[in-house]
Amino acid sequence: MTQARSWPGRAKRILKRVGLWSVVYLSPRFRYRMKLRGRLAAKHLSGSGIEIGGLHAPLRVPSGATVRYVDRATTAELRRLYPDLGLLRIVDVDVVDDGENLVTFEPSSLDFIIANHVIEHCENPLRTLERWLSLLRPGGVIYMAVPDQRKTFDRQRPLTSFEHVLRDYSEGPAGSRRDHLREYARLVDHVPEADVEGVVDRWLAEDTRPHYHAWTPRTFREMLERARELESMTFSVEALSEAPDEFIAILRLTGPAGTAG
């Protein structure tokens, strides 16, 4: 006689097959987030552009806008890297490129850049913004959704100051790299102190890119306003809207097409 399988065991197998993100995807909070993102996209996006790291939740762009998907790996490689996405569809990657540098694209070639939950993974946020702005045509838009430190697993971490990102912009981010990873290991993953350095070494070897930075809407706006003092940062903040666990910033290039980066 075959012994009946326990419900907890079957539930674990189902979740592994379907993917934990599939459950999140169906939650009211996630669906509200996507609706808000869509409303802001309809208001601010037009023409042709790119989305960095769209994965299973690409932004719905308005009718008439065209978007190419950029990621640091092919679609098949991303499926292997993110097994927790389960059965959720991942967008087909059109361009394999590093989202911080976007070396594939020419200056002044895009009407918009979508980067949802990307900039917190960038070691050098100001240099990244400078590069993105250089790729926009006059009047082009950067659309960013950013995790809210107060409402995510980053809540125990110190907020990123403008002085910190300015130092990384001026001196390069290498000097901060291990400190960022140590902080993430201790305060997010709660790695025992004796194991922290080993975990950091492994992440460096594997090119793991966790959240290097953490912001609230207030501190992110402060960073943007102070970034505008830099000569290469000619943009306006068109919107900064809060959602349940993130905020959405819309930047518009106000000067001539950029050449930085």
Side-chain angles (χ1 to χ4, degrees):
M1 182 175 180
T2 304
Q3 186 176 4
R5 295 178 176 177
S6 67
W7 164 245
R10 281 182 290 162
K12 288 180 181 179
R13 283 189 291 275
I14 291 170
L15 280 177
K16 185 175 181 181
R17 172 64 175 159
V18 173
L20 294 176
W21 260 104
S22 302
V23 179
V24 174
Y25 194 79
L26 297 173
S27 71
R29 174 175 289 195
F30 186 83
R31 296 174 72 174
Y32 173 79
R33 175 205 287 181
M34 300 305 286
K35 286 182 179 179
L36 177 60
R37 287 184 183 184
R39 287 200 297 270
L40 289 169
K43 182 177 180 180
H44 295 283
L45 299 184
S46 61
S48 62
I50 60 173
E51 177 165 3
I52 304 166
L55 284 173
H56 64 294
L59 183 66
R60 180 177 293 179
V61 298
S63 176
T66 59
V67 58
R68 288 179 289 167
Y69 296 102
V70 179
D71 218 305
R72 61 177 177 144
T74 66
T75 309
E77 290 167 339
L78 291 173
R79 179 60 73 185
R80 290 194 294 272
L81 287 170
Y82 299 100
D84 56 324
L85 294 181
L87 298 177
L88 291 178
R89 181 181 178 273
I90 293 177
V91 294
D92 292 328
V93 175
D94 298 302
V95 180
V96 176
D97 200 345
D98 186 300
E100 291 189 55
N101 300 304
L102 296 178
V103 298
T104 306
F105 299 91
E106 296 295 326
S108 310
S109 62
L110 303 170
D111 293 310
F112 60 83
I113 295 172
I114 303 163
N116 293 329
H117 290 228
V118 172
I119 197 163
E120 68 277 6
H121 295 276
C122 297
E123 289 191 284
N124 195 339
L126 294 181
R127 186 71 67 188
T128 298
L129 285 175
E130 184 180 67
R131 175 59 180 164
W132 291 352
L133 289 166
S134 78
L135 300 178
L136 295 177
R137 300 185 180 103
V141 165
I142 297 173
Y143 180 114
M144 293 182 287
V146 184
D148 188 331
Q149 178 261 10
R150 302 167 300 175
K151 303 172 184 178
T152 70
F153 53 72
D154 286 323
R155 64 178 59 90
Q156 299 300 320
R157 301 177 65 192
L159 294 168
T160 300
S161 68
F162 180 76
E163 288 71 23
H164 179 98
V165 295
L166 184 62
R167 183 174 65 250
D168 285 346
Y169 175 79
S170 301
E171 302 174 6
S176 302
R177 187 171 295 133
R178 288 193 73 95
D179 286 341
H180 284 307
L181 297 177
R182 289 186 187 112
E183 179 184 289
Y184 192 92
R186 289 171 176 141
L187 301 181
V188 178
D189 281 1
H190 304 292
V191 173
E193 189 61 34
D195 300 329
V196 167
E197 293 304 323
V199 168
V200 168
D201 287 339
R202 187 179 78 248
W203 286 349
L204 289 170
E206 295 173 351
D207 193 26
T208 300
R209 304 181 189 184
H211 290 187
Y212 290 109
H213 305 286
W215 293 283
T216 63
R218 180 187 62 80
T219 60
F220 195 76
R221 181 182 287 277
E222 178 185 355
M223 182 188 75
L224 294 177
E225 293 298 336
R226 296 186 66 180
R228 294 173 63 197
E229 299 170 7
L230 300 173
E231 185 177 351
S232 57
M233 302 284 196
T234 53
F235 65 87
S236 62
V237 181
E238 298 278 293
L240 205 157
S241 301
E242 295 190 40
D245 55 0
E246 67 179 20
F247 51 93
I248 300 169
I250 311 291
L251 313 185
R252 188 176 298 277
L253 182 67
T254 54
T259 57

